[in-house]
Structures are given as C-alpha cells and as structure tokens.
Amino acid sequence: ESQRADPEAAAARSASQRSSEQPQGTLRRTFRMTTVEPEKKRTRRESDAASPAREARASLGGSDWTLPDHTANVRHAIDKDLEGASLHKIVNGKIDGLQGLGEVAQEMMEAVGVHTVRDLAEWKFGRWARAIVTLAALEETGHKRAPSSLNIDLALDKEHETKTFNEMLALPVSSLQGLSAKADEALRHHHVDTIEKLGKWKYLEWATALSNIVDAEETLSPSDRKLDRQLKKLDN
C-alpha cells in the first residue's frame, strides 16, 4: 500500500512545484484578463444610463424598461430642466414649467385656482373661452337674427346673455360668470384682456394638448404590465 501511495504523492509534489515555479507575470496577466472586460461593461452601462430618455423611462417603468429611445418632444413649450421628462410629469407639474411662464405667473394663476398644467387645461373659464372662439366661427352674421333658445347664460354675466358669439369675443375675461376683475389683472400681464385672446392663449392651447394626450403615455414597464395581467386574471 505504501508503494502504491508513493507515485500519487510524487505526482502531487510535482504539480505543487510547477505551480510555485510559475512566473509572477503570468499570474498578473491572468488577473488582468478576468478584471478588465467587466470594467469596460460597467462603463458602457453607465454611459447608457446617462441618456435623459432612459432616465425618464426608468422613472416611469422600472429597471426592465427596454423600449428604444423615443424622439417625440415638446421642447418649444417647456423649460430646459423638463427636457426628457414624461408627459405625466409635465402635466402634473406647475404651470411655470411652461416656457415663458415664471413664478409671478404661477402666483397670479393660483389666485384664480390654477396650480398645474392639468389645472390650466381643465380650467372651466379657459374651456368656455375656447368654445366661444370656435362657435363664433360657425355663427352666421350679417342677417336679421331669428329668435332662438340657444344660449350659454350659465357662462356669462347677466348683461351679456343675449349677445352673439362674435360679440362675446370682445368682452373682458371677467364677463365670464364667476371671474372677478382680479382675473383681468392677472391675465393682462400676458396680453390677455378679452375672451377671444383667452380662447387663443398659447399656454392654454399647450396645456390642453398635453392633457388630451397624456393618457396615451405608457407608464408601466414590461414586468409591471405582466403583473397587471396576472392580477386581472386572479380577479376574474
């Protein structure tokens, strides 16, 4: 038994000796081969993560958001610090995020109940003004007016109820029922002093467009959508 063990012991000693005699440079080369490549991969991932579009998607959908970078943008309507932001972030943010509106405008509009871009889009006085502008273009003029029960009495102060849509365009904003002279003062700073100008106000148009399309924005990552489908199956 000791004779059979001797060759095995000799082989073990030989392998150990070869290992100890291996040049140190070889060990360093081996170490570098196992560490350099992972370092390069980390650098590429960090570079990808710096993309504003990727950051926006990550804030919406989580770590497995893998859709290609999107190129749609509204940069002419928003401040620079919102570039790359999601529609939801813009719409739910303050109106001073719209390009050209600052803190003063924010304070003035808050005085009439408007805090966010969504608030501006849904502001009933803005919606009424936009409707009057649209309907005025559909109104027949230059003929004797026949009696009609068509009216918007609940949107106007009493003294203006019998006016035509085209006549309403020139009325001050405070002619809309529920707005005071404070609204005239706030909007006059932005050259909005009539119902027509309010209905055509670019910030109102921008806010309306953003709010109308925001529900079409995907906010769930693939894994979130999968989980949502599974939960719906359980509910059924």
Side-chain angles (χ1 to χ4, degrees):
E1 291 181 357
S2 61
Q3 289 178 350
R4 285 197 302 271
D6 287 342
E8 295 176 0
R13 286 195 299 273
S14 177
S16 176
Q17 183 177 6
R18 286 196 302 271
S19 176
S20 63
E21 292 174 354
Q22 187 176 13
Q24 294 184 354
T26 303
L27 291 175
R28 284 197 294 270
R29 284 197 298 272
T30 303
F31 176 76
R32 285 197 297 270
M33 289 174 64
T34 59
T35 57
V36 171
E37 183 59 26
E39 184 63 29
K40 289 181 179 178
K41 289 183 178 180
R42 284 197 298 272
T43 302
R44 285 198 296 271
R45 286 198 296 272
E46 290 169 358
S47 176
D48 290 344
S51 164
R54 289 183 183 276
E55 291 176 356
R57 287 200 303 277
S59 67
L60 282 174
S63 60
D64 66 342
W65 195 277
T66 57
L67 295 176
D69 284 343
H70 288 64
T71 56
N73 68 84
V74 290
R75 289 180 180 173
H76 290 308
I78 56 175
D79 285 343
K80 191 172 182 64
D81 58 357
L82 283 176
E83 291 182 5
S86 69
L87 283 172
H88 281 77
K89 182 175 181 178
I90 296 170
V91 167
N92 294 322
K94 292 184 176 182
I95 63 169
D96 60 8
L98 296 177
Q99 194 174 116
L101 294 181
E103 292 181 4
V104 174
Q106 180 74 41
E107 293 176 1
M108 290 189 300
M109 293 307 295
E110 285 181 353
V112 293
V114 175
H115 301 269
T116 67
V117 172
R118 189 188 296 274
D119 289 340
L120 181 57
E122 297 176 352
W123 191 40
K124 71 176 181 180
F125 303 107
R127 290 189 289 109
W128 287 350
R130 285 173 62 84
I132 290 170
V133 168
T134 300
L135 296 175
L138 305 176
E139 189 174 56
E140 184 181 37
T141 59
H143 292 78
K144 184 178 179 179
R145 286 174 287 180
S148 171
S149 60
L150 189 153
N151 71 86
I152 57 168
D153 290 356
L154 300 180
L156 295 169
D157 288 342
K158 191 169 183 63
E159 62 267 31
H160 305 301
E161 290 177 355
T162 60
K163 285 183 168 58
T164 66
F165 287 120
N166 279 275
E167 291 170 339
M168 295 174 195
L169 295 177
L171 294 175
V173 175
S174 58
S175 298
L176 295 171
Q177 191 175 128
L179 282 182
S180 66
K182 184 185 293 186
D184 288 331
E185 180 183 353
L187 291 166
R188 195 177 295 118
H189 286 274
H190 294 280
H191 311 289
V192 175
D193 54 8
T194 66
I195 289 177
E196 180 177 20
K197 289 182 179 178
L198 176 59
K200 294 179 178 180
W201 196 30
K202 67 179 182 180
Y203 298 110
L204 185 59
E205 292 180 351
W206 294 353
T208 301
L210 290 165
S211 295
N212 284 345
I213 201 68
V214 69
D215 289 339
E217 184 175 57
E218 179 60 81
T219 60
L220 297 177
S221 68
S223 63
D224 289 334
R225 292 196 297 272
K226 182 178 180 181
L227 177 60
D228 190 52
R229 289 193 298 269
Q230 292 173 341
L231 290 174
K232 287 180 179 178
K233 288 180 181 179
L234 291 175
D235 289 339
N236 295 332

